[in-house]
Amino acid sequence: MTLLLQHLSMPDHSGFANLPDGVFTRLGLDLLSVVVLIRLIYYRIYRKTDLFLTFFTFNLIIFLITFLLNQVQMSIGAAFGLFAVFSMLRYRTEGLSAKDMTYLFVVIAVGLISAVSQGSGYQLAIINGLILLCVQLLEGNWLFRREFSKTVFYDRVDLIVPGRRPDLLLDLENRTGLDIHRVDIQGIDFLKDSAQITIYYYQDDAKHESVQKAAASLLR
């Protein structure tokens, strides 16, 4: 009995030793993938930092929860159920664009894959690298030209008729400096002689940030 009490009273210093092999490698690859995705791809294109906390927190929480549940033989169905629960936040979230939600979906997927992966660190790095490569190909104007959009309030309602569409495009291009190729009339207010228009344009990454200020003058 004395030996048993002594054994129970001894502090256990093997907490990290009980962790599965490669957990820190997987966590490091997961965080590195998110840094590349958000800092080098997302921020370079959209210049937005307000969602950084959301992206990194969601990724880390998904990784930790999935990893811990995976230690009690969580099934694949349960893992995807957890993924679906977090994805359903899209329908409760206002003010986020489809692009932002897509990046949120990707960081959740990266955290889930990193937590449940049974392969080596090399294999996980390849999987995450393929995800990042696909995002870069779709966002980097390599496969096709990326189209930007912006909603503006326009004061010349006489140009919104279908027959004067070329004049409308020319006037908008002169005011914004953007290479506008099509527009969509969202609404018309004849009392204020204004219209709400969504403009669609192509723009190189190097020029995209500078021309946003010019287009913002019409957002009043």
Side-chain angles (χ1 to χ4, degrees), residues 157-168 185:
V157 294
D158 58 303
L159 296 182
I160 64 175
V161 296
R164 304 198 62 182
R165 189 55 52 87
D167 296 332
L168 173 62
I185 309 298

Side-chain angles (χ1 to χ4, degrees), residues 38 42 51-59 100 103-104 107:
I38 301 305
Y42 175 82
L51 294 177
F52 274 25
L53 176 62
T54 302
F55 291 144
F56 283 97
T57 303
F58 263 70
N59 173 264
D100 292 338
Y103 277 92
L104 181 60
V107 299

Side-chain angles (χ1 to χ4, degrees), residues 59 65 87 94 106 112 148 205 209 216:
N59 173 264
I65 293 178
S87 300
E94 297 181 358
V106 174
L112 179 62
F148 295 96
D205 292 339
E209 183 179 4

